């Protein structure tokens, strides 16, 4: 996945490249290689579902366990938005209609 694809996702969903983790309702993302890794690994870990929901905060912790490193909420949200899932905003988090495999 190239940075142009990720940049398009970030701009489509009003995700910021600068500032605090959540500033003015815009989520900060700076780690493109990590977003790319998450995009590639999402199908192995999650499946989209009409009945189950997972918050981005919970999802980021799952990815942290998977990668054994810090994953920001913004990186997880940006990666998930690549798949154009059903979602709802919940403060600084996003609730995705998905479940674990």
């Amino acid at each position: 996945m190239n940075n142009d694809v990720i940049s398009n996702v970030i701009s489509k969903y009003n995700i910021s490249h600068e500032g605090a983790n959540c500033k003015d309702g815009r989520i900060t993302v700076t780690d493109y290689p990590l977003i790319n890794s998450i995009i590639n690994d999402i199908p192995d870990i999650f499946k989209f579902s009409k009945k189950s929901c997972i918050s981005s905060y919970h999802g980021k912790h799952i990815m942290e366990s998977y990668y054994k490193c810090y994953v920001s909420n913004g990186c997880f949200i940006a990666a998930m938005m690549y798949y154009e899932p059903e979602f709802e905003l919940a403060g600084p988090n996003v609730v995705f209609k998905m479940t674990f495999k």
Side-chain angles (χ1 to χ4, degrees), residues 43-95:
D44 295 333
I45 300 167
F46 302 101
K47 66 180 179 180
F48 296 98
S49 168
K50 298 282 184 190
K51 297 178 182 177
S52 299
C53 296
I54 295 175
S55 76
S56 57
Y57 189 74
H58 188 187
K60 90 172 208 85
H61 285 293
I62 293 165
M63 297 313 295
E64 286 174 340
S65 293
Y66 187 79
Y67 292 128
K68 307 289 188 247
C69 72
Y70 176 75
V71 174
S72 73
N73 197 26
C75 283
F76 181 75
I77 292 169
M80 283 299 299
M81 291 307 193
Y82 171 79
Y83 292 98
E84 298 185 357
E86 290 186 46
F87 67 92
E88 295 178 19
L89 299 176
N93 300 306
V94 177
V95 176

